[in-house]
Amino acid sequence: MPLDHRRLRGPEESQPPELWAAAGEVPVHEEEEEEGGGGKDAAPRDPCDLRPLFARAGLLSQAEGSAYVELGGGTKVLCAAWGPREAAEPGAAVPAGTGQLLCEFRRAPFAGRGARWRPGSASEREAEREAAAALREALEPAVRLARYPRARLAVSALLLQDGGSALAAAISAASLALADAGVEMYDLAVGCALCRSPAPAALWMLQPGEKEERRAVARLTVALLPALNQVSAVLGGGQGSSPDAWAQALRLGLDGCHRLYPVLRQSLLRAARRRDAAA
């Protein structure tokens, strides 16, 4: 019976819900990074600080590879990946000498705190299609598709909660899931989001929350292959920013990707060790 990739079961192992502590307290957790700010009552964080990140690979037994990424503030993404399969039905057009990467992005009906879209509405379906296309654009340069001629790889991202910077979190989670599935890759694709606040402050902020994104006049999502120092995608838009401001935002986003990379890499290594121990 073929798998329904649109239905992702939850993780078999539950995780502690508290991923960060109050200022001055650093919680002990094997796959967590503290970058700056604390809980909800903490002072406004520095625009250059990263939100606390939790990442874990290898959660779902129903998929060949999987990953879960959570950002402090409530962004939660679960991704599943499946390895090479026959590319398409006989007679379908398939690029010669290379494989296909199929990406899917879905929002859970309970993902948003507000009422931006009604579940199943045309606006939500369009937003999901755009996010899936952006996900594919960011991931394709990281995957060695030439090693899978006339085959297809599939990755499905499910946004469980949207607390801002959702696309960047999905890029990182999908990259982890593909690597966990044993797909040959040049490097992990790390996503980092930014937004620019309105005047008079007009500051670029790393990994904005949902409220910050709503007020933003410009947004940017950067995807980077840190080991190669190669940008795989730059996605976003806005108004009222000079070329120098966009260049500054790009440099800030690349720095954020480099800072997130060790956490994702360690998460993948721990998943490999757990798999070896269970074998």
Side-chain angles (χ1 to χ4, degrees):
M1 181 177 179
L3 291 174
D4 184 355
H5 294 175
R6 294 171 298 177
R7 296 177 181 271
L8 298 179
R9 299 181 183 179
E12 282 92 12
E13 302 178 21
S14 61
Q15 304 298 328
E18 184 177 6
L19 301 181
W20 59 90
E25 300 179 5
V26 179
V28 178
H29 200 286
E30 65 168 352
E31 294 175 7
E32 169 185 340
E33 178 183 73
E34 278 290 335
E35 288 280 359
K40 294 181 180 179
D41 298 329
R45 63 186 179 95
D46 190 295
C48 295
D49 281 348
L50 295 173
R51 291 159 64 186
L53 169 70
F54 172 87
R56 183 162 182 172
L59 285 88
L60 303 179
S61 60
Q62 296 84 8
E64 294 177 12
S66 59
Y68 172 80
V69 167
E70 179 171 343
L71 297 177
T75 300
K76 302 176 183 179
V77 181
L78 179 65
C79 286
W82 291 267
R85 296 289 187 271
E86 187 176 354
E89 296 77 11
V94 179
T98 186
Q100 291 179 300
L101 178 62
L102 306 180
C103 294
E104 182 183 53
F105 185 96
R106 290 287 182 267
R107 286 175 55 93
F110 47 82
R113 297 176 182 174
R116 276 188 281 182
W117 301 300
R118 290 181 293 105
S121 65
S123 58
E124 182 180 19
R125 290 193 298 270
E126 180 62 26
E128 290 176 345
R129 283 193 294 267
E130 291 178 359
L135 193 61
R136 179 180 176 183
E137 182 178 346
L139 293 174
E140 275 190 336
V143 181
R144 302 185 65 181
L145 292 175
R147 298 298 296 267
Y148 304 100
R150 301 190 63 82
R152 62 181 176 183
L153 310 170
V155 61
S156 181
L158 177 64
L159 180 61
L160 298 172
Q161 185 173 333
D162 186 1
S165 305
L167 178 58
I171 291 171
S172 298
S175 179
L176 274 178
L178 286 168
D180 185 59
V183 174
E184 292 193 37
M185 303 177 69
Y186 296 105
D187 193 13
L188 290 175
V190 183
C192 188
L194 305 95
C195 76
R196 182 175 180 268
S197 59
L203 296 175
W204 285 99
M205 175 172 288
L206 281 173
Q207 290 183 317
E210 183 185 17
K211 292 182 179 179
E212 295 160 344
E213 284 187 340
R214 287 178 180 271
R215 295 193 300 265
V217 295
R219 300 181 186 179
L220 188 67
T221 298
V222 180
L224 177 71
L225 312 182
L228 303 178
N229 201 28
Q230 176 182 334
V231 177
S232 62
V234 178
L235 310 161
Q239 57 185 359
S241 297
S242 65
D244 289 341
W246 286 105
Q248 177 192 3
L250 182 58
R251 288 192 295 268
L252 190 62
L254 295 178
D255 178 67
C257 291
H258 280 293
R259 290 157 61 191
L260 293 172
Y261 182 60
V263 182
L264 301 178
R265 184 173 178 273
Q266 287 299 319
S267 173
L268 188 60
L269 291 175
R270 289 190 179 97
R273 295 191 190 105
R274 286 194 298 267
R275 188 178 295 108
D276 291 342

